[in-house]
Amino acid sequence: VAGGIWYYMRPIANPVPQMMSAVGEVYQTNKGEKKTFELNDGSTVTLNSASRLELSSDFNGELRLVRLSGEGYFQVAKNKEKPFMVQASDFDIKVLGTTFNVKSYPDEPTAEAVLVEGSIEMKSKGQRENSVVIKPNQKITVFKNQSGLVVNTDKGNKPKISKLPIKEIAIENIPVPESSATEIPDIAWKENRLEIVDQDFESLRRTLERWYDVDIQLQGDQLKRYRFTATFSRENIAQVLSALQ
């Protein structure tokens, strides 16, 4: 049974951010295409539509550092001496050797990571960095542009309330597929299968635009709130929109 936990991540002590000093190789996909690339450390990454992966110029030196914009499915070659780190706009992920999916599109209100094998540590970004470790068959969602109220008290002064960007996240246990040949919905895209699970049309519109390289105009705010569950594989955009009506 799937379950979810909603909470605010607690700040970690003395975080040490890793910065990409210079960009080396770059891999990218356009709207409507997906590609698999092999990195020089033996790892592979499959990029979803409209995605970009940058490798640091010293990749596979002391650290295997990459930066992702979009969505990527990573199969990381094990190397305890060279940690693998994925930088996204709202969080960093550090691993040694594992399989996971990261979704971090600039125009989406959330960023996500799904762990298939191994373990990963996610560190959020912002004025207060936070850290959480997730296990296989768990999905973590980071909600962008969230803020928390912090009360500051000084002697002799009235309490002062201020807002700090404390990342709100949700950790969800994903049901294990009954068949090993069946992918969980969040990573079905790499098999060219579009899985829609209780998704509102405003979010679905952005997915379809990347998937089919089209622009979709919505007429009326009510349509944005409609929710859909469906599976598509070989259908064209006209067939998909017709099925959703």
Side-chain angles (χ1 to χ4, degrees), residues 29 53 93 115 120 131-132 138 146 167 240:
T29 54
L53 183 73
I93 289 180
L115 182 61
I120 61 176
S131 178
V132 65
Q138 283 188 331
Q146 297 289 332
K167 297 294 185 180
V240 170

Tab-separated table of all heavy atoms in Angstrom, residues 29 53 93 115 120 131-132 138 146 167 240:
chain	number	residue	atom	x	y	z
A	29	THR	N	18.738	16.858	-24.902
A	29	THR	CA	17.683	16.383	-25.795
A	29	THR	C	16.752	17.543	-26.113
A	29	THR	O	16.594	18.475	-25.315
A	29	THR	CB	16.865	15.252	-25.148
A	29	THR	OG1	16.370	15.701	-23.875
A	29	THR	CG2	17.707	14.007	-24.952
A	53	LEU	N	22.227	17.773	-19.520
A	53	LEU	CA	23.139	17.277	-18.483
A	53	LEU	C	24.535	17.815	-18.760
A	53	LEU	O	25.085	17.605	-19.843
A	53	LEU	CB	23.168	15.746	-18.474
A	53	LEU	CG	24.037	15.124	-17.367
A	53	LEU	CD1	23.361	15.283	-16.011
A	53	LEU	CD2	24.317	13.652	-17.651
A	93	ILE	N	21.975	15.657	-5.168
A	93	ILE	CA	21.875	14.244	-4.796
A	93	ILE	C	23.268	13.640	-4.827
A	93	ILE	O	23.998	13.782	-5.805
A	93	ILE	CB	20.946	13.477	-5.744
A	93	ILE	CG1	19.494	13.890	-5.494
A	93	ILE	CG2	21.099	11.971	-5.573
A	93	ILE	CD1	18.494	13.192	-6.392
A	115	LEU	N	14.001	6.586	-6.157
A	115	LEU	CA	15.110	5.649	-5.999
A	115	LEU	C	14.662	4.239	-6.378
A	115	LEU	O	13.661	3.739	-5.855
A	115	LEU	CB	15.620	5.668	-4.563
A	115	LEU	CG	16.827	4.763	-4.270
A	115	LEU	CD1	18.027	5.156	-5.112
A	115	LEU	CD2	17.182	4.799	-2.793
A	120	ILE	N	20.374	7.095	-1.715
A	120	ILE	CA	20.841	8.419	-2.103
A	120	ILE	C	20.559	9.401	-0.981
A	120	ILE	O	19.634	9.229	-0.194
A	120	ILE	CB	20.186	8.930	-3.412
A	120	ILE	CG1	18.662	9.032	-3.251
A	120	ILE	CG2	20.565	8.062	-4.585
A	120	ILE	CD1	17.975	9.625	-4.462
A	131	SER	N	18.739	18.060	4.585
A	131	SER	CA	19.211	16.781	4.063
A	131	SER	C	18.262	15.661	4.454
A	131	SER	O	17.688	15.668	5.547
A	131	SER	CB	20.621	16.480	4.608
A	131	SER	OG	21.083	15.228	4.160
A	132	VAL	N	18.090	14.687	3.543
A	132	VAL	CA	17.273	13.513	3.827
A	132	VAL	C	17.802	12.356	2.987
A	132	VAL	O	18.292	12.547	1.871
A	132	VAL	CB	15.780	13.778	3.512
A	132	VAL	CG1	15.551	14.008	2.032
A	132	VAL	CG2	14.909	12.642	4.022
A	138	GLN	N	11.118	4.553	-3.000
A	138	GLN	CA	10.588	5.764	-2.389
A	138	GLN	C	10.741	6.926	-3.367
A	138	GLN	O	11.689	6.980	-4.143
A	138	GLN	CB	11.309	6.107	-1.087
A	138	GLN	CG	10.895	5.246	0.095
A	138	GLN	CD	11.485	5.746	1.401
A	138	GLN	OE1	12.547	6.339	1.438
A	138	GLN	NE2	10.767	5.492	2.492
A	146	GLN	N	8.410	27.561	-1.361
A	146	GLN	CA	7.704	27.465	-0.088
A	146	GLN	C	8.445	28.306	0.952
A	146	GLN	O	9.648	28.551	0.850
A	146	GLN	CB	7.636	26.011	0.393
A	146	GLN	CG	6.862	25.087	-0.539
A	146	GLN	CD	5.377	25.358	-0.499
A	146	GLN	OE1	4.860	25.814	0.499
A	146	GLN	NE2	4.700	25.089	-1.597
A	167	LYS	N	12.253	24.403	2.701
A	167	LYS	CA	11.682	23.539	1.685
A	167	LYS	C	10.685	22.543	2.283
A	167	LYS	O	10.984	21.871	3.261
A	167	LYS	CB	12.793	22.771	0.956
A	167	LYS	CG	13.778	23.647	0.196
A	167	LYS	CD	13.110	24.359	-0.971
A	167	LYS	CE	14.147	25.130	-1.781
A	167	LYS	NZ	13.563	25.837	-2.914
A	240	VAL	N	-4.147	11.499	-28.274
A	240	VAL	CA	-4.095	11.677	-26.832
A	240	VAL	C	-5.143	12.696	-26.374
A	240	VAL	O	-5.913	12.455	-25.443
A	240	VAL	CB	-2.694	12.119	-26.389
A	240	VAL	CG1	-2.699	12.557	-24.918
A	240	VAL	CG2	-1.693	10.991	-26.590
